[in-house]
Amino acid sequence: MALTAETWPIAAAMLPFPAAQPEDATEDALHVEWARSLQQVADADFAHVDLTDSWVRYGDLDERHRQLFRHVLADSGLKAASLSAIRRSVIDADTGAENLAYSHRTLDFAADLGIGVVSVGLHQALSPRQREQLWFWTAEGHRDRLDDREAWDLAVSRFRELGAHAADLGLLLSLEMYEHTFLGSGASAVRLVEEIGMAEVGLNPDIGNLVRLHEPIEDWRELLAQTLPFTNFWHVKNYARDEDPQSGVITTLPAYLESGLIDYRSAIAMAIDSGFQGVICTEHYGGDGLSMSAANRDYLRRRILPRRDYEPGASLVVQHSERSWS
């Protein structure tokens, strides 16, 4: 049965919470910190959470800390609907092999917790200059060399390896779109997924990552038209964007989902027509990110997602709702 406003899994990202790693605290302190953060998500009326690994490096947890995490998550009453491993590019010149191994461990962790979809990408660690900025996307970061066929082939090979592992575990793998990488344009992202050639590997069209750039961008409608048929998970966020053609100055700021450049009423309709039936993860940078994510969840559930029976389009990749964890 197709997902509706009532049944659609909408997860809160853990981006607003500071990192809470085992090496930084005793087990008791870690228990308190994990419980406090997850309880805030539950108190914001979320039923689902995205285990964003900027909060906890799940693939690095030993069995003792995994057991502790399972206990804390169960006590929170939340269901982990998805896991996002960010800035772990498998083609990073220095840490690619290490990131690949970490991603495999993260898939095992996700399967162990009953999480159905894991999102990975090609974005790399923030540069020192990016970390100094109010908004990190206003400073230059890593760029994949788009003409580097060897790096492209390595991305295809390593994502295919992760996709096979995910499929063996009964999971979906989603590739997050991100600026200046092989996943940084609609055409390139689609070509990458097509070359990987696995129904369990799809796209996370996080086009907010592109809309916020202080440079010319693709039209968001064209980005979604290309990528939604391959979408199996979705980070949603929005930005207000102003362009002054005379001076060339471009300004962007985080915005509510309903008030930024991207029209999510149209975007969600396009997604459903393309067969999307997956987890939606609400993200936000700046201010009270959790409350913004909750407001965006309410906007989707109360005003945008379908309330009546309908027939979704035919997706080109496997969807969350086709799996037993839905």
Side-chain angles (χ1 to χ4, degrees), residues 1-8 10 265 268 272 297-311:
M1 183 172 292
L3 295 171
T4 65
E6 183 179 348
T7 61
W8 212 298
I10 302 177
R265 180 178 295 276
I268 292 292
I272 290 173
R297 174 206 62 214
D298 293 345
Y299 161 71
L300 291 173
R301 212 176 286 287
R302 296 174 184 174
R303 304 185 192 176
I304 302 301
L305 293 171
R307 296 179 176 277
R308 299 169 182 82
D309 291 340
Y310 65 97
E311 187 66 32

Side-chain angles (χ1 to χ4, degrees), residues 5 34 83 102 165-166 200 281 286:
W34 286 350
L83 191 157
Y102 171 86
H165 186 187
E200 294 83 4
C281 171

Side-chain angles (χ1 to χ4, degrees), residues 72-147:
V72 173
L73 180 63
D75 281 351
S76 74
L78 294 166
K79 177 175 176 55
S82 55
L83 191 157
S84 296
I86 61 177
R87 304 198 178 280
R88 294 282 185 166
S89 172
V90 295
I91 60 171
D92 187 298
D94 298 320
T95 62
E98 176 185 336
N99 290 340
L100 177 64
Y102 171 86
S103 298
H104 277 295
R105 297 194 302 272
T106 299
L107 288 171
D108 288 332
F109 175 88
D112 191 39
L113 263 69
I115 299 168
V117 58
V118 174
S119 177
V120 296
L122 292 173
H123 38 318
Q124 300 192 13
L126 294 175
S127 68
R129 186 166 174 233
Q130 285 180 304
R131 288 194 293 270
E132 293 170 355
Q133 305 306 307
L134 174 61
W135 305 117
F136 63 83
W137 56 85
T138 61
E140 183 73 9
H142 168 81
R143 289 176 179 257
D144 287 339
R145 283 181 42 210
L146 301 184
D147 61 348

Side-chain angles (χ1 to χ4, degrees), residues 1-312:
M1 183 172 292
L3 295 171
T4 65
E6 183 179 348
T7 61
W8 212 298
I10 302 177
M14 294 303 290
L15 284 172
F17 297 95
Q21 313 295 357
E23 64 269 25
D24 298 328
T26 66
E27 189 165 318
D28 286 346
L30 203 60
H31 185 289
V32 170
E33 184 60 29
W34 286 350
R36 179 187 296 122
S37 296
L38 290 173
Q39 194 58 58
Q40 288 183 63
V41 175
D43 288 348
D45 292 330
F46 277 96
H48 296 88
V49 63
D50 175 78
L51 297 184
T52 322
D53 79 342
S54 57
W55 180 51
V56 177
R57 293 193 307 273
Y58 309 101
D60 288 341
L61 296 180
D62 59 26
E63 184 53 36
R64 182 165 56 90
H65 286 104
R66 285 190 182 197
Q67 291 285 4
L68 174 63
F69 189 86
R70 287 190 204 98
H71 175 70
V72 173
L73 180 63
D75 281 351
S76 74
L78 294 166
K79 177 175 176 55
S82 55
L83 191 157
S84 296
I86 61 177
R87 304 198 178 280
R88 294 282 185 166
S89 172
V90 295
I91 60 171
D92 187 298
D94 298 320
T95 62
E98 176 185 336
N99 290 340
L100 177 64
Y102 171 86
S103 298
H104 277 295
R105 297 194 302 272
T106 299
L107 288 171
D108 288 332
F109 175 88
D112 191 39
L113 263 69
I115 299 168
V117 58
V118 174
S119 177
V120 296
L122 292 173
H123 38 318
Q124 300 192 13
L126 294 175
S127 68
R129 186 166 174 233
Q130 285 180 304
R131 288 194 293 270
E132 293 170 355
Q133 305 306 307
L134 174 61
W135 305 117
F136 63 83
W137 56 85
T138 61
E140 183 73 9
H142 168 81
R143 289 176 179 257
D144 287 339
R145 283 181 42 210
L146 301 184
D147 61 348
D148 188 340
R149 185 68 206 191
E150 183 177 353
W152 174 275
D153 290 343
L154 184 62
V156 171
S157 173
R158 287 183 168 175
F159 280 146
R160 189 180 288 144
E161 177 184 328
L162 289 174
H165 186 187
D168 286 344
L169 295 170
L171 310 182
L172 303 182
L173 187 72
S174 195
L175 309 183
E176 179 182 353
M177 294 186 70
Y178 197 86
E179 70 264 21
H180 307 146
T181 71
F182 293 139
L183 290 160
S185 72
S188 182
V190 167
R191 186 162 69 92
L192 189 63
V193 168
E194 289 180 328
E195 287 200 25
I196 292 167
M198 299 182 64
E200 294 83 4
V201 180
L203 291 174
N204 167 8
D206 190 349
I207 61 172
N209 290 337
L210 311 181
V211 163
R212 69 190 178 196
L213 298 179
H214 289 194
E215 62 188 58
I217 58 171
E218 292 182 75
D219 187 280
W220 64 266
R221 299 168 191 81
E222 292 300 319
L223 283 168
L224 291 180
Q226 293 175 82
T227 58
L228 285 173
F230 298 88
T231 294
N232 59 4
F233 175 60
W234 200 356
H235 288 167
V236 295
K237 55 180 178 279
N238 215 346
Y239 292 84
R241 180 179 176 91
D242 181 61
E243 301 178 5
D244 183 345
Q246 292 189 333
S247 67
V249 172
I250 298 172
T251 303
T252 63
L253 287 171
Y256 283 104
L257 218 58
E258 63 186 302
S259 60
L261 178 70
I262 305 163
D263 169 12
Y264 273 96
R265 180 178 295 276
S266 298
I268 292 292
M270 292 171 65
I272 290 173
D273 287 345
S274 298
F276 176 61
Q277 294 282 283
V279 176
I280 297 172
C281 171
T282 56
E283 292 188 330
H284 187 81
Y285 287 98
D288 183 353
L290 178 59
S291 290
M292 288 289 286
S293 292
N296 290 335
R297 174 206 62 214
D298 293 345
Y299 161 71
L300 291 173
R301 212 176 286 287
R302 296 174 184 174
R303 304 185 192 176
I304 302 301
L305 293 171
R307 296 179 176 277
R308 299 169 182 82
D309 291 340
Y310 65 97
E311 187 66 32

